Amino acid sequence: MLAEDQIERYARHVLLREVGGAGQRRLLASCVRIHGLDAPGAWAAAYLALAGVGRIELDDPHPVDDLLPLLDPEDMGRPRAVALARALPAWNPDVHAGPPLDRAPDLVLRRDGAGGGGTVILLAGGAEVLVAGGETCAVCRSALRPPASDPDPAAAVLAGSVAASEVVVRLLGLSGPRLLRLSGGRPVEVPPCRH
Amino acid sequence: MTRIDIRAHVCPMTWVRVKLALEQLAPGDELEVLLAGDEPMRNVPRSAESEGHAVTLRQPGEGHHVIRIRKGG
């Protein structure tokens, strides 16, 4: 059962036919591990926290060099994973955020092109965004190269939200692995490969 | 029969709470809902039917209304 504050917090999710209280409880019981917490990864973490994913594991030793609205000025220079682990529960008190544990997560979100079963890959550079299931075949994935440039700020937010949506859809069992390319700001599903 | 009183709530929290109560029931079980106001009396039965449940009673009253919903599935 959802607690009283959770009913208020997640009312809009519960209303969705595909989610309901059962789906929200499933998200609260889920664990997602995120490798890579530059702007797109950090925004994905934020949207997953707002969705009510109960445990978010954060992996990125690089220092904060860009103060997103998520973070405080004191976070500048702190390891990204440490800064976000403090910030995410402030956005949603149901979320436990911290370093990866030994137990395997339900899903992994990666900012590099590496992948495998149970992985969602997020690539973003300039205005280009790709979200792919790690199970995408080797030939298709060889075409997924991390973009040369850093994503622009608007693309980073959009990339993070699309990646978070894809993770939520996978956690709820509503979709299998697929490849999404943002075209004109809207995610377009690339047809399944025939390789 | 399970009963829920949603007179204190406004839409869409009315349907949110009824939906959560229905999730706890088995298909075929009935839920009796005490509600107040025209908007919930319109919205809750419509939402229930759109999600595959059957409204088996609609009893408008003076200060409050009663409906019964049979869980689908």
Side-chain angles (χ1 to χ4, degrees):
Chain A
M1 290 291 291
L2 296 176
E4 200 49 41
D5 62 320
Q6 291 176 326
I7 294 174
E8 295 286 333
R9 183 173 300 125
Y10 304 119
R12 288 176 186 80
H13 308 174
V14 170
L15 283 172
L16 294 171
R17 185 170 194 146
E18 302 89 342
V19 183
Q24 187 63 57
R25 287 193 297 277
R26 194 162 165 179
L27 293 178
L28 286 164
S30 294
C31 175
V32 175
R33 185 177 297 171
I34 305 177
H35 295 284
L37 298 168
D38 59 346
W43 279 112
Y47 282 115
L48 288 172
L50 292 171
V53 171
R55 178 159 178 86
I56 299 176
E57 295 182 346
L58 303 165
D59 175 37
D60 190 333
H62 297 100
V64 172
D65 57 4
D66 178 11
L67 279 182
L68 306 174
L70 304 162
L71 303 175
D72 290 339
E74 308 82 83
D75 287 318
M76 198 61 132
R78 221 170 244 169
R80 289 170 179 163
V82 171
L84 274 173
R86 180 199 56 75
L88 294 181
W91 280 40
N92 185 346
D94 290 331
V95 174
H96 300 277
L101 301 178
D102 283 339
R103 192 185 64 213
D106 296 296
L107 207 64
V108 175
L109 175 63
R110 301 192 68 99
R111 284 283 289 122
D112 57 20
T119 301
V120 175
I121 298 163
L122 168 59
L123 299 176
E128 184 190 8
V129 179
L130 290 168
V131 177
E135 299 86 345
T136 311
C137 89
V139 175
C140 284
R141 286 187 51 236
S142 69
L144 296 178
R145 280 180 300 277
S149 61
D150 287 338
D152 66 54
V157 179
L158 192 54
S161 77
V162 172
S165 294
E166 192 63 10
V167 167
V168 167
V169 161
R170 295 278 297 267
L171 288 174
L172 294 176
L174 298 172
S175 167
R178 54 186 183 165
L179 174 58
L180 298 173
R181 184 187 304 273
L182 258 72
S183 172
R186 299 174 62 193
V188 173
E189 186 168 354
V190 175
C193 73
R194 291 186 171 81
H195 302 121
Chain B
M1 182 185 308
T2 306
R3 288 181 178 80
I4 180 176
D5 181 348
I6 58 168
R7 287 177 295 173
H9 298 287
V10 295
C11 296
M13 293 307 292
T14 46
W15 172 240
V16 170
R17 290 175 182 273
V18 170
K19 181 171 179 174
L20 289 171
L22 284 167
E23 283 186 8
Q24 303 302 310
L25 303 180
D29 287 351
E30 285 212 321
L31 177 72
E32 186 168 281
V33 182
L34 201 61
L35 36 72
D38 294 337
E39 203 179 337
M41 191 58 170
R42 277 197 307 274
N43 293 343
V44 172
R46 186 179 60 215
S47 297
E49 286 171 341
S50 78
E51 294 213 0
H53 309 296
V55 179
T56 56
L57 175 74
R58 290 173 212 250
Q59 197 173 78
E62 281 287 317
H64 61 267
H65 318 300
V66 178
I67 63 171
R68 285 195 196 133
I69 302 170
R70 185 169 59 234
K71 179 166 178 172

